[in-house]
Amino acid sequence: MKRFLLVLGLLAGAWGWYERQALADFPGILSAYSAKEYCSCRFVMGFDAPYCRGYVSQYLPLSRLDEDTPARVVTAVGLGVANTARWRGVREGCGLLP
């Protein structure tokens, strides 16, 4: 049984090393997706805030989702990474800010 757990641990470590870039990128993906989709839901589609909060909810919760309605800017923070999206216009919709 100990050998099995050791082999399983080594395989998990090898997989983690192989996927290290994807694992490192994941925290930023959660907040970027949420900021952009919430911005699009609110300012492109015109839905109300509670609906859009439900629309962007994930299995991993955001620690913060702020909306600046007059400026049409949304900031999402999840897993320690913040991303901001802004409405750019009727033809362009919403996009992430650098």
Side-chain angles (χ1 to χ4, degrees):
M1 184 66 170
K2 287 183 182 181
R3 285 184 183 175
F4 174 73
L5 292 176
L6 178 64
V7 169
L8 188 62
L10 288 172
L11 288 173
W15 175 80
W17 178 256
Y18 179 74
E19 296 291 342
R20 65 190 178 279
Q21 186 62 52
L23 292 170
D25 291 340
F26 179 74
I29 292 170
L30 176 67
S31 59
Y33 167 82
S34 298
K36 183 169 180 318
E37 289 301 311
Y38 184 89
C39 179
S40 296
C41 182
R42 287 286 288 139
F43 305 122
V44 175
M45 301 304 293
F47 293 115
D48 61 355
Y51 173 81
C52 293
R53 283 187 184 273
Y55 177 73
V56 300
S57 68
Q58 300 287 315
Y59 289 109
L60 297 172
L62 295 169
S63 56
R64 201 173 90 225
L65 182 63
D66 298 327
E67 174 185 335
D68 181 357
T69 306
R72 295 184 179 181
V73 173
V74 175
T75 300
V77 180
L79 299 175
V81 179
N83 275 290
T84 302
R86 183 182 70 208
W87 185 73
R88 296 181 176 174
V90 176
R91 297 190 67 155
E92 295 179 48
C94 288
L96 291 173
L97 296 178

